[in-house]
Amino acid sequence: YEIRPRDWSSDVCSSDLLYDLEQARIALRGDLGLAVDRGRIVREAVAIVIADLENKGDQSIIARRLRGK
């Protein structure tokens, strides 16, 4: 399955998520001095979640959140 940008933006990026992402970008820049774009934040976040899933499996943060625990 291939995710096309138009699928991703409509299915994944609600206005609330975009707002939260922008707030994170502002906090990283203001509080930590890290000037990064939203794309990099998303790529890093996805990499962290995938690594956690690979390391912890059913105890990973994503598995627990998706189960509602």
Side-chain angles (χ1 to χ4, degrees):
Y1 176 74
E2 180 182 337
I3 297 177
R4 294 176 300 272
R6 67 180 174 273
D7 295 336
W8 193 86
S9 62
S10 64
D11 293 341
V12 176
C13 284
S14 68
S15 59
D16 289 342
L17 180 58
L18 289 173
Y19 176 80
D20 292 343
L21 185 54
E22 184 62 14
Q23 291 303 110
R25 188 190 68 77
I26 290 168
L28 286 165
R29 183 177 193 145
D31 297 342
L32 303 174
L34 296 171
V36 295
D37 61 45
R38 292 181 300 251
R40 179 151 181 220
I41 295 169
V42 169
R43 288 187 300 275
E44 294 293 336
V46 169
I48 290 166
V49 169
I50 290 171
D52 185 55
L53 177 61
E54 289 172 351
N55 290 325
K56 297 180 181 174
D58 116 353
Q59 292 303 309
S60 65
I61 188 79
I62 190 74
R64 292 192 326 257
R65 287 183 65 129
L66 291 172
R67 282 193 304 265
K69 296 180 180 178

